[in-house]
Amino acid sequence: MTLEPAPADTRTTPWWADAVIYQVYPRSFADADGDGMGDLPGITSRLDHLASLGVDALWLSPFYLSPQHDAGYDVADYRQVDPRFGSLADFDALREKADRLGIRTIVDLVPNHTSDEHVWFQAALAAAPGSPERDRYIFRDGRGPDGAEPPNNWTSVFGGPGWTRVPDGQWYLHLFDVTQPDLNWHNPEVVAEFDDVIRFWLDRGVHGFRVDVAHGLVKHPDLPDWDGHTAMVEGTTRTGGADPIEEHVPAPMFDQDGVHEIYRHWNDILGEYDGDRMMVAEAWVEPAPRLAKYVRPDEMQQAFNFEFLIEGWDAAGMARAVDSVMAANEAVGAPTTWVLSNHDVVRHASRFGLADPTGRSAGIGADDEQPDAGIGLRRARAATLAMLALPGSAYLYQGEELGLPEATQLPADAREDPTFVRSGGADVGRDGCRVPLPWEAGAPAYGFSPTGASWLPQPASFADLAADAQEGVPGSTLELYRQMTALRRELHLGTGTMAWAEEHAPAEGILAFTTEGVLVVLNTADRAFELPAGAELLLGSVPDAIDGGALVPDAAVWLRLP
Ligand code: NOJ
């Protein structure tokens, strides 16, 4: 019998496998020119903050030319910086300074749709039905006697219909806002254009891309009616059954098998460049084995693991999410990712302060249940401490290191998220997690901009949470984050081997695992939990995490076992 040589492992330890990646939302990070909108020079001026946080990379949400109908996820020119945010030279300066600080730069790629102001869409509107210009998008004739009914019943993720009619009677598909027409990924011109866009940014030195709506590019060829809910979080349906992959029926606009050919092709492009360039899929796909298809060795490097994010304050649920995603990723040989907050969901310091953190994923209004800020922050710190001990890469969202809550009292006229308008106010939208950051407690706009301008009003609670108010203060959330990233790095937790520590966690509501000689315990129960005697406390989520040898509720610790 001849032994087959083992396949070469190309994924040993590329930088992204255990990286802590910090999401910068350019509108709200720092505003250098004082117009109330964050910008690239503002980000560059605050990069030392990221260095002191000990992150490995930053991911920039879109800063491209855009009418900003969806906060930049409506791109009018993929190779230009929007003047609101600066210039290409400003981007280069940012990326070069980040490089000098040892921080890699990841940019957003928005391939599912363009802005309606993109030259291609303007050309499509000017051209006739059936023209090559229209074929770059998804134009169809309508149904009914005069074609006055949309081609199918799909709705927009942001609420309202998923189709809009143009003056000559045809309809175009937009899974998001009416200003975000979906591209036709069967058109070779679309494929070639994005190849070029990807190379444009790789040539400018970016280390990777976060791929927006990665599960949406290819639609079912028949565009069949779909009675399910079209939502980013619940984009697909569960059917249950013995084989979750085979028996799962994705919605016809999401997670179609054709997307994988695109990602194999992009992986080839990344391979032309040095330095382990990467892509991370934003794909709201269930169940975990289907999501893992996006991170097969010849596709993307990472996919956000939203199964963990949507768990409540429940150790058993968190453990299930960890198990399911790790097993699915191991099956394809990919490390996993962890994330608790981003610009689309309620900040976890507020989510965990709700009676049911799983009930509300996108926005809290003044008339909704208000989160308990104290409990929410304690739980958020504990969940983050547990998350940062898990093997794989972790994503942080700007402001979580300050313990920022969701802004729940934003006036209706300040809200910009299209979800708010398209749902007729029923869904308040995502502005509450996008409020400009507080840097200096005593400065106008808490130091966000030199003039005091701020595109969204900042809550008064931001004063005590400003970065300078937490700097050097033992026990502050900022100092905790610095300790977590430093110790995680020192102990190699990102590349660790974790195992559930059943013997140390016989109680309900307790999550406990070991990794690299560290015992991690998280208490989601309402009573204290006795810790093993003689263990050394490495880090606690709060200064009073341990009381008389027991871990208090809503807290977590990293312990060194005797
Ligand atoms: C996902 C992005 O994260 C979100 O902010 C955006 O609205 C949609 N994709 C549409 O691009």
Side-chain angles (χ1 to χ4, degrees):
M1 193 175 86
T2 354
L3 279 178
E4 294 286 330
D9 182 4
T10 51
R11 306 184 88 136
T12 36
T13 39
W15 68 268
W16 44 262
D18 61 343
V20 176
I21 301 173
Y22 182 99
Q23 179 186 358
V24 172
Y25 195 66
R27 295 168 71 96
S28 303
F29 190 73
D31 170 22
D33 66 10
D35 65 355
M37 177 74 67
D39 46 40
L40 299 181
I43 299 168
T44 307
S45 75
R46 297 276 186 192
L47 280 179
D48 290 342
H49 174 75
L50 269 58
S52 81
L53 257 187
V55 302
D56 302 289
L58 67 94
W59 146 37
L60 291 164
S61 279
F63 49 83
Y64 313 112
L65 190 72
S66 161
Q68 301 285 314
H69 293 304
D70 183 21
Y73 282 96
D74 48 325
V75 182
D77 186 333
Y78 292 85
R79 299 176 188 79
Q80 285 300 324
V81 173
D82 193 288
R84 293 174 184 87
F85 298 124
S87 63
L88 278 172
D90 292 329
F91 173 81
D92 292 340
L94 189 168
R95 206 265 307 144
E96 279 159 20
K97 182 167 178 199
D99 270 0
R100 282 198 300 280
L101 292 169
I103 299 172
R104 291 179 166 85
T105 302
I106 295 171
V107 296
D108 226 297
L109 187 70
V110 188
N112 180 68
H113 44 263
T114 68
S115 157
D116 62 344
E117 293 188 12
H118 191 284
V119 285
W120 274 7
F121 194 70
Q122 289 302 312
L125 289 180
S131 59
E133 288 83 357
R134 289 225 169 155
D135 189 56
R136 294 171 181 145
Y137 293 91
I138 304 178
F139 277 87
R140 292 288 185 279
D141 293 330
R143 294 197 288 203
D146 311 320
E149 298 295 320
N152 68 23
N153 69 354
W154 294 2
T155 51
S156 151
V157 171
F158 292 158
W163 295 88
T164 290
R165 202 170 194 196
V166 299
D168 60 39
Q170 276 210 311
W171 298 75
Y172 68 90
L173 177 68
H174 51 89
L175 289 183
F176 295 91
D177 190 50
V178 59
T179 62
Q180 292 167 295
D182 280 53
L183 286 162
N184 170 19
W185 273 88
H186 295 295
N187 183 321
E189 268 189 275
V190 172
V191 176
E193 169 68 1
F194 275 86
D195 286 1
D196 198 66
V197 168
I198 289 168
R199 287 201 170 89
F200 177 87
W201 290 102
L202 288 172
D203 289 340
R204 278 203 119 78
V206 307
H207 299 88
F209 299 88
R210 174 268 191 190
V211 180
D212 190 61
V213 200
H215 56 320
L217 275 53
V218 174
K219 279 78 181 173
H220 189 291
D222 303 334
L223 303 180
D225 278 346
W226 165 251
D227 292 323
H229 191 46
T230 311
M232 269 198 301
V233 184
E234 303 102 330
T236 53
T237 182
R238 295 169 196 266
T239 58
D243 184 332
I245 306 190
E246 294 313 318
E247 296 192 21
H248 180 80
V249 182
M253 68 292 283
F254 288 133
D255 195 27
Q256 302 296 299
D257 288 339
V259 294
H260 298 292
E261 187 187 329
I262 300 170
Y263 303 137
R264 280 192 283 271
H265 175 61
W266 288 357
N267 188 50
D268 288 345
I269 297 179
L270 294 184
E272 294 167 18
Y273 289 78
D274 63 355
D276 289 325
R277 315 282 176 116
M278 54 79 79
M279 289 194 176
V280 53
E282 187 233 11
W284 292 91
V285 167
E286 295 174 328
R290 278 207 73 98
L291 180 61
K293 288 188 169 209
Y294 290 73
V295 290
R296 288 177 289 191
D298 58 350
E299 295 198 29
M300 294 209 206
Q301 287 60 43
Q302 296 184 338
F304 291 119
N305 161 12
F306 294 126
E307 197 170 325
F308 184 68
L309 181 151
I310 61 180
E311 274 307 328
W313 184 244
D314 163 32
M318 289 177 182
R320 266 195 309 277
V322 169
D323 272 342
S324 110
V325 175
M326 286 193 40
N329 274 33
E330 267 166 30
V332 297
T336 189
T337 63
W338 309 101
V339 59
L340 284 166
S341 278
N342 66 31
H343 66 294
D344 289 330
V345 298
V346 171
R347 283 184 174 278
H348 66 292
S350 292
R351 224 168 51 228
F352 286 133
L354 294 171
D356 175 12
T358 64
R360 189 156 273 280
S361 58
I364 300 176
D367 299 333
D368 298 317
E369 173 200 349
Q370 296 300 297
D372 181 317
I375 289 181
L377 182 54
R378 272 180 83 87
R379 292 180 174 175
R381 291 167 57 130
T384 307
L385 187 69
M387 175 183 89
L388 285 174
L390 287 165
S393 167
Y395 281 79
L396 307 178
Y397 175 49
Q398 69 176 37
E400 67 169 84
E401 77 281 17
L402 305 176
L404 294 191
E406 186 83 0
T408 62
Q409 307 293 321
L410 292 173
D413 61 0
R415 293 194 178 274
E416 292 201 7
D417 183 356
T419 314
F420 178 65
V421 176
R422 287 188 66 84
S423 69
D427 188 339
V428 294
R430 302 159 293 176
D431 293 307
C433 64
R434 300 175 174 180
V435 175
L437 294 193
W439 295 98
E440 295 155 37
Y446 305 122
F448 167 67
S449 74
T451 55
S454 171
W455 71 277
L456 280 173
Q458 299 156 298
S461 67
F462 274 27
D464 290 344
L465 298 169
D468 71 342
Q470 300 194 42
E471 180 72 43
V473 176
S476 70
T477 306
L478 177 59
E479 293 303 335
L480 172 68
Y481 269 71
R482 288 175 175 157
Q483 286 175 298
M484 290 192 291
T485 54
L487 205 49
R488 171 189 156 93
R489 186 185 299 253
E490 187 187 320
L491 301 173
H492 307 289
L493 301 185
T495 49
T497 307
M498 72 83 76
W500 294 118
E502 302 299 345
E503 73 275 26
H504 298 298
E508 212 183 307
I510 303 299
L511 185 86
F513 58 91
T514 56
T515 173
E516 304 305 289
V518 177
L519 173 66
V520 178
V521 190
L522 168 75
N523 187 353
T524 69
D526 54 10
R527 65 203 170 282
F529 174 72
E530 202 63 36
L531 292 168
E536 175 202 349
L537 176 66
L538 295 172
L539 194 54
S541 59
V542 278
D544 60 355
I546 299 180
D547 184 17
L551 177 62
V552 302
D554 302 327
V557 283
W558 292 355
L559 302 173
R560 167 90 60 212
L561 285 170

